[in-house]
Structures are given as C-alpha cells and as structure tokens.
Amino acid sequence: FPPDLTRSRELPRHAQVAIIGGGIIGLACARELALMGAKDVVVLERGNLLCEASGGNGGGLWPNEMAYGAGPFHALGTRSLEML
C-alpha cells in the first residue's frame, strides 16, 4: 500500500470507493485501486483485517465436496494443500 494508508475506527463521511470486507479479496482490491491511482478508497471491516475467513483459511484454497466434479478449481485447491 502507499505510505499514506491510514487506519481508523471512525467512518469517513465520503469515499469514491467503499470495499466491504477486510479479507484477502477486499484488501487486494483496495491495493489494486491504489496502484491505479485511486485516492479515496475505504475498506470497511467489522473486526480486525484478515481475521475472519481469510485468517481462518491459513492461506489455503481448500478443495471440497461441494465443488462440481474434479475440475480446475478442485485441482487448484488440491495443489494448494500440497504446498502447505
């Protein structure tokens, strides 16, 4: 992130972009927007960053029985487990 990144518990009155969720996806989106020059982006998270699903997953993409067959996403999850 750029050096002017600030963290506050106070809600801003205005933002060009509001990202709901401070998990890996929300933070990645905020980072990309900042790299593209966005100046007024806020990430809203009810708790601490990366402490909900992203923190609980430990960096893994977990294959599961809900996946539709042994397609590319299931293969990616399986490979992710092997790398831990």
Side-chain angles (χ1 to χ4, degrees):
F1 281 96
D4 63 347
L5 176 70
T6 59
R7 182 176 178 182
S8 172
R9 297 236 180 248
E10 185 176 320
L11 290 175
R13 294 179 59 88
H14 176 268
Q16 276 186 317
V17 179
I19 298 172
I20 311 299
I24 192 68
I25 299 297
L27 295 177
C29 290
R31 179 179 186 274
E32 286 301 310
L33 287 166
L35 291 174
M36 292 170 40
K39 301 284 185 214
D40 196 12
V41 178
V42 63
V43 177
L44 302 171
E45 172 58 55
R46 67 180 168 180
N48 293 321
L49 300 177
L50 298 171
C51 286
E52 298 288 333
S54 291
N57 286 325
L61 295 172
W62 309 107
N64 65 54
E65 63 278 352
M66 294 179 68
Y68 297 106
F73 185 72
H74 190 271
L76 178 63
T78 300
R79 180 68 182 120
S80 175
L81 279 174
E82 293 168 356
M83 295 174 72
L84 290 178

